[in-house]
Amino acid sequence: MSVSHSSKLNKLVREQYMKLPQGDLVQVTYVWIDGSGEGVRCKSRTLEKEPKSIEDVPEWNFDGSSTAQAEGSNSDMFLVPVRMFRDPFCLDPNKLVLCEVLKYNRKPAETNLRHTCKKVMDLVKDSHPWFGMEQEYTLLGINGHPYGWPDNGFPGPQGPYYCGVGADKVYGRDIVESHYKACLYAGVKICGTNAEVMPSQWEFQVGPCEGIEMGDHLWMARFILHRVCEDFGVVATLDPKPMTGNWNGAGCHTNYSTEEMRRDGGLKHIEAAIEKLSKRHDYHICVYDPRGGRDNSRRLTGHHETSNIFEFSAGVANRGASIRIPRQVGQDGYGYFEDRRPAANCDPYAVTEAIMRTTVLNETGVETKDYDN
């Protein structure tokens, strides 16, 4: 197996130091999204006492020229804490803190999509939007080859791997279960996990989350995943189509409802929202991956449980549609629906913001409205 050199270091030696007392001092790890819009970065500092709320965590800064977020001649970027979690790596009382990134002039960095998402979520708060996102990912060796696959070949065809059990059907369960426990400890709203259709592909679900917390919790879950994989010496990729050929891609299916959709008779509100989405398909495709739809074009082919990227479709229990209404929701007449178009490497802030703009704020076309005023 191709694993990193760092994963082979003696972890028992590390534990000797991790057990040392730290008094009243607290280690706080600041986490942010870098200039790629996909990667996460982190660095740590010491606070003199345990922060009890996000307001107790001071702003900080970093070199944006080293994260593709600034020029070297004006490189200082601000880290503004927005949500705090327990630290599953250094343990209590230490913290993980998710941050927004601001430029030197206090304007949001280009990949700080949380800034506008928060404004939109504040506007639609009375609709009480709930989200649940299904994050698919693929485990790779350090050489970029899917973890557990033959070095010079392929595993057997898809079929026995989805929700599979057994050493010949699943690869990397230790990583998955470690990530799950770490998220629970941290306070991330993880609600499930399963092996996916392609071997070495997995999924975890986060939610239900209301408004802006959906993006916050999914980004922290991603950070924790990458850190857990670092310990095991493997890589988690969110590429929407990591392997060409007859293999499933990776998405981030987004389940969504408003308060009126969750009430008796809510199905008519679900159908109305789907109708609005059908008229704005191109806009959503553009924001559902970080490259304006180019990543999703490799995945949304109409095959392997996906819709065609050029066509909008919806149906009950149809996993080949753009929008799926769960069968139980169709029977009950209320509940939620699933947008199956977002790519695995989507920004959840962009996805949830787009859904609210279209279904609640009634925006149309490919342009978005500025609500600053």
Side-chain angles (χ1 to χ4, degrees):
M1 292 298 180
S2 174
V3 297
S4 69
H5 292 295
S6 294
S7 67
K8 300 175 183 178
L9 295 173
N10 190 328
K11 303 301 181 182
L12 292 178
V13 174
R14 178 180 180 273
E15 281 304 304
Q16 173 184 335
Y17 297 101
M18 296 303 291
K19 292 176 181 177
L20 293 174
Q22 59 187 62
D24 294 331
L25 301 177
V26 176
Q27 181 178 334
V28 177
T29 299
Y30 289 58
V31 179
W32 71 95
I33 302 162
D34 67 16
S36 70
E38 300 178 71
V40 284
R41 308 287 180 112
C42 70
K43 66 175 186 173
S44 301
R45 71 185 298 180
T46 302
L47 299 185
E48 293 185 356
K49 61 180 180 180
E50 181 181 358
K52 300 300 183 182
S53 69
I54 196 65
E55 289 75 24
D56 296 333
V57 183
E59 288 189 13
W60 205 10
N61 58 72
F62 69 96
D63 171 17
S65 69
S66 297
T67 61
Q69 290 172 292
E71 297 293 332
S73 59
N74 190 14
S75 64
D76 281 0
M77 309 284 284
F78 295 103
L79 290 172
V80 180
V82 293
R83 197 171 295 273
M84 184 167 66
F85 298 86
R86 297 168 71 194
D87 187 337
F89 306 105
C90 297
L91 307 182
D92 289 336
N94 304 300
K95 307 295 182 187
L96 301 178
V97 173
L98 185 69
C99 300
E100 281 195 29
V101 176
L102 302 182
K103 297 188 284 190
Y104 70 95
N105 55 7
R106 304 292 296 183
K107 292 184 178 180
E110 283 72 15
T111 54
N112 177 3
L113 304 188
R114 187 186 192 275
H115 189 76
T116 56
C117 182
K118 179 68 164 59
K119 289 181 180 180
V120 168
M121 292 303 174
D122 287 344
L123 283 172
V124 302
K125 62 183 179 181
D126 291 341
S127 65
H128 298 287
W130 288 4
F131 300 95
M133 298 186 80
E134 307 169 20
Q135 178 67 70
E136 294 179 334
Y137 62 95
T138 307
L139 296 176
L140 306 177
I142 203 70
N143 61 357
H145 195 61
Y147 183 78
W149 285 32
D151 289 339
N152 298 303
F154 299 91
Q158 295 183 154
Y161 309 111
Y162 172 70
C163 296
V165 179
D168 59 340
K169 297 180 179 66
V170 295
Y171 310 115
R173 192 186 296 275
D174 285 350
I175 298 166
V176 174
E177 294 185 342
S178 297
H179 172 249
Y180 201 146
K181 285 295 185 74
C183 284
L184 290 174
Y185 181 93
V188 170
K189 291 186 175 182
I190 190 169
C191 61
T193 190
N194 58 269
E196 268 301 335
V197 177
M198 187 180 82
S200 299
Q201 186 186 76
W202 293 83
E203 173 185 299
F204 64 88
Q205 303 93 33
V206 175
C209 295
E210 185 164 338
I212 196 67
E213 73 173 359
M214 182 68 255
D216 291 350
H217 281 253
L218 186 58
W219 271 113
M220 186 53 70
R222 288 175 173 179
F223 169 78
I224 292 172
L225 174 65
H226 292 308
R227 276 287 284 103
V228 169
C229 285
E230 182 182 322
D231 285 344
F232 281 95
V234 301
V235 174
T237 179
L238 305 186
D239 189 291
K241 188 70 174 178
M243 296 301 291
T244 58
N246 195 25
W247 304 102
N248 273 35
C252 194
H253 304 152
T254 301
N255 302 277
Y256 160 65
S257 68
T258 59
E259 188 172 46
E260 61 185 7
M261 294 178 192
R262 298 189 292 270
R263 294 174 179 162
D264 284 345
L267 185 58
K268 65 181 180 182
H269 298 291
I270 291 174
E271 291 171 341
I274 293 173
E275 178 65 19
K276 295 174 186 177
L277 289 168
S278 72
K279 297 175 180 177
R280 216 180 184 204
H281 180 62
D282 290 348
Y283 161 71
H284 284 265
I285 289 297
C286 282
V287 299
Y288 279 5
D289 75 50
R291 292 171 182 81
R294 292 196 301 275
D295 281 348
N296 242 343
S297 66
R298 296 183 283 123
R299 167 181 163 260
L300 296 180
T301 62
H303 304 289
H304 303 109
E305 300 182 53
T306 70
S307 58
N308 188 303
I309 194 170
F310 300 110
E311 301 171 359
F312 182 89
S313 57
V316 174
N318 184 355
R319 282 179 164 77
S322 308
I323 303 291
R324 178 182 71 93
I325 299 175
R327 189 175 304 282
Q328 190 66 46
V329 173
Q331 293 173 354
D332 294 342
Y334 63 89
Y336 67 97
F337 66 86
E338 175 192 45
D339 192 334
R340 297 179 60 80
R341 294 171 295 175
N345 61 345
C346 70
D347 189 319
Y349 297 128
V351 171
T352 55
E353 177 186 332
I355 291 172
M356 300 316 299
R357 284 181 179 273
T358 300
T359 64
V360 177
L361 296 177
N362 298 316
E363 292 186 14
T364 58
V366 295
E367 300 298 325
T368 57
K369 186 177 179 180
D370 186 352
Y371 296 100
D372 281 343
N373 298 319

